[in-house]
Amino acid sequence: MKQAVKIKEDVYWIGVNDRRTRLFENYWPLPRGVAYNSYLIVDEKVVVVDTIERNKMEDYIESIEAVLNGRTVDHVIVNHMEPDHTGALRSLLGRYPGATVIGNVKTFPMLKNFYDISDRLLEVKEGSTLDTGRHKLSFYMTPMLHWPETMVTFDATTGILFSGDIFGAFGTLDGGIFDDELDLDYLEEEISRYYSNIVGKFGQPARLALDKLGKLPVRVICSTHGPVRRSTVSEIIARYDAWSKHETAKGVVIAFSSMYGNTERMADGIARCLAENGIRKIRVHDTSKTHPSYMINDIFRFRGVILGSCAYNTGIFPTMETLLGELEQIGVKNHLLGYFGNKSWSGGAIRRLEQFAGNVKWEVVHPPHEAWGAPKADDREACREIARAMAAKLHTLYPDEV
Ligand code: FEO
């Protein structure tokens, strides 16, 4: 049983919850599911803004038909081509064959390649407008947030910004659709994890988009994932502003890879020493157990990062390699780094961590240390030196933060 939810006059939420998919983009864990938000504007012309993933077509069509009561769809706006928002497009156009698809010059080659859709297309450019009767829609390009074709649609009549993935979140909409109907504290990690994992690589495009969207009188944000924002518009914009500037808080993320516990002992010693030196926000992750999306999310939050790995077959441990590769790929900025390793039988982890430090250009707070097997007294002391150097740097940078 599905029902549309009225957002503003003539505008309805017709999204769906997905609690079955385990991995978003077949990679990012979805412990709390995800919502695919789609919207319907019922005016002299009927407009669908973004569609959904294909797995909930029946519910989706039911919602649309219940609102339209026999009317047809005139336009489908594709703000973003990724298939979690266009998977339903072919079926929707099959149902409403007279509908035109609205996108930009970068959208249409993708539509052709993904779905072989090339008819009834209406191209919009920066600032193009569409008058649907009572509603005046305008279009703004937001390239690389987070695909090349991404754009947003602004409804001047209601002040609604249909923002695509921007301002989105993981997590289903469990009854509440609007921010003031939901427990935002419960969704907190899914909101920041969505930014850090999906959008985080594109800080500079985000800054350009925020400048552009800041000129619009936005009263409501209708993203393609997460809550509809009507009470926390300025809050989510402020968070994007801080995130896109790579602003971080006082704290340290320790991520370690350990086969038989020796590297973990070194990590624990570092964590204890950080605490003794006044650092309160410490997050310790075992890379074999924690998905990189959670470690990356914490790294986006906190300035300090300490990485430690045992060697594995003359290189670094595979799950640490995954984390390093992702951080390099995302290009996370503005961090302090400490690192350590354990030789196992070959060595090799420190060499890769050193290469990583050069690639991401983070400030290394202290020379690294490598133990061989069980950490001895001098190994433990060397790890404590790394911790003390990190704590001292953080206290200097954030003198008033706990
Ligand atoms: Fe929600 Fe980039 O797709």
Side-chain angles (χ1 to χ4, degrees), residues 62-90:
E62 197 179 309
S63 294
I64 294 174
E65 288 185 341
V67 178
L68 291 187
N69 200 18
R71 290 187 65 185
T72 191
V73 173
D74 297 291
H75 304 294
V76 182
I77 295 172
V78 176
N79 282 319
H80 178 27
M81 249 302 298
E82 193 163 6
D84 53 329
H85 310 299
T86 55
L89 188 58
R90 274 188 74 91

Side-chain angles (χ1 to χ4, degrees), residues 24-25 34-36 80-86 145-147 149-150 164-166 168 170 194 198-199 223-225:
F24 186 76
E25 296 179 342
V34 66
Y36 310 115
H80 178 27
M81 249 302 298
E82 193 163 6
D84 53 329
H85 310 299
T86 55
L145 276 180
H146 59 119
W147 278 26
E149 86 302 349
T150 43
D165 280 350
I166 310 170
F170 292 133
Y194 186 83
I198 305 298
V199 184
S223 171
T224 45
H225 304 287

Side-chain angles (χ1 to χ4, degrees), residues 104-159:
N104 60 67
V105 68
K106 292 179 183 163
T107 317
F108 297 146
M110 292 184 180
L111 274 179
K112 172 74 179 158
N113 286 322
F114 277 68
Y115 304 114
D116 198 24
I117 293 172
S118 55
D119 294 330
R120 305 190 62 79
L121 307 179
L122 176 61
E123 184 187 325
V124 292
K125 298 183 168 65
E126 178 75 16
S128 292
T129 56
L130 178 73
D131 193 328
T132 63
R134 293 177 293 279
H135 295 260
K136 318 292 175 206
L137 306 181
S138 49
F139 303 91
Y140 300 93
M141 304 301 123
T142 55
M144 297 320 300
L145 276 180
H146 59 119
W147 278 26
E149 86 302 349
T150 43
M151 64 180 198
V152 299
T153 303
F154 180 65
D155 176 11
T157 309
T158 57

Side-chain angles (χ1 to χ4, degrees), residues 83-334:
D84 53 329
H85 310 299
T86 55
L89 188 58
R90 274 188 74 91
S91 299
L92 190 68
L93 295 176
R95 191 111 186 162
Y96 302 105
T100 58
V101 179
I102 296 176
N104 60 67
V105 68
K106 292 179 183 163
T107 317
F108 297 146
M110 292 184 180
L111 274 179
K112 172 74 179 158
N113 286 322
F114 277 68
Y115 304 114
D116 198 24
I117 293 172
S118 55
D119 294 330
R120 305 190 62 79
L121 307 179
L122 176 61
E123 184 187 325
V124 292
K125 298 183 168 65
E126 178 75 16
S128 292
T129 56
L130 178 73
D131 193 328
T132 63
R134 293 177 293 279
H135 295 260
K136 318 292 175 206
L137 306 181
S138 49
F139 303 91
Y140 300 93
M141 304 301 123
T142 55
M144 297 320 300
L145 276 180
H146 59 119
W147 278 26
E149 86 302 349
T150 43
M151 64 180 198
V152 299
T153 303
F154 180 65
D155 176 11
T157 309
T158 57
I160 294 177
L161 178 70
F162 298 98
S163 64
D165 280 350
I166 310 170
F167 309 121
F170 292 133
T172 48
L173 300 177
D174 297 340
I177 302 298
F178 296 96
D179 49 4
D180 48 30
E181 296 178 329
L182 285 157
D183 180 359
L184 286 181
D185 292 340
Y186 173 73
L187 277 180
E188 172 57 33
E189 180 152 57
E190 294 305 77
I191 295 167
S192 62
R193 203 164 59 91
Y194 186 83
Y195 178 85
S196 55
N197 293 185
I198 305 298
V199 184
K201 177 176 172 58
F202 305 102
Q204 188 54 29
R207 299 229 44 77
L208 295 172
L210 287 172
D211 285 348
K212 186 183 288 189
L213 302 181
K215 297 181 178 72
L216 300 174
V218 176
R219 296 203 292 275
V220 179
I221 294 175
C222 288
S223 171
T224 45
H225 304 287
V228 171
R229 301 261 180 184
R230 64 181 177 189
S231 303
T232 55
V233 169
S234 55
E235 284 88 340
I236 190 66
I237 291 173
R239 297 195 72 185
Y240 260 65
D241 185 54
W243 284 331
S244 63
K245 289 179 188 160
H246 296 268
E247 286 181 4
T248 46
K250 187 179 193 175
V252 180
V253 182
I254 301 173
F256 70 86
S257 303
S258 184
M259 279 189 289
Y260 296 106
N262 289 321
T263 311
E264 181 173 10
R265 286 186 190 106
M266 297 167 82
D268 273 331
I270 288 172
R272 179 66 199 143
C273 187
L274 285 169
E276 286 169 351
N277 281 272
I279 302 299
R280 293 288 167 265
K281 291 171 182 158
I282 302 168
R283 307 283 187 268
V284 180
H285 293 294
D286 181 341
T287 62
S288 292
K289 185 176 164 196
T290 305
H291 190 276
S293 70
Y294 294 94
M295 295 186 275
I296 290 168
N297 193 35
D298 276 345
I299 289 170
F300 262 82
R301 283 181 191 157
F302 297 117
R303 185 68 166 265
V305 180
I306 299 181
L307 304 172
S309 177
C310 58
Y312 193 77
N313 290 344
T314 74
I316 202 163
F317 196 73
T319 51
M320 179 59 78
E321 178 56 45
T322 301
L323 176 63
L324 301 184
E326 287 198 16
L327 289 169
E328 287 169 338
Q329 211 254 346
I330 292 172
V332 186
K333 295 181 176 61
N334 198 27

Side-chain angles (χ1 to χ4, degrees), residues 261-271 273 306 339-344 350 366-388:
N262 289 321
T263 311
E264 181 173 10
R265 286 186 190 106
M266 297 167 82
D268 273 331
I270 288 172
C273 187
I306 299 181
Y339 59 98
F340 62 98
N342 201 301
K343 284 182 189 172
S344 306
I350 284 288
H366 194 274
H369 180 72
E370 188 169 39
W372 191 357
K376 322 295 183 298
D378 59 332
D379 297 316
R380 287 196 292 272
E381 181 51 27
C383 287
R384 291 173 67 81
E385 280 176 17
I386 294 172
R388 281 193 287 266

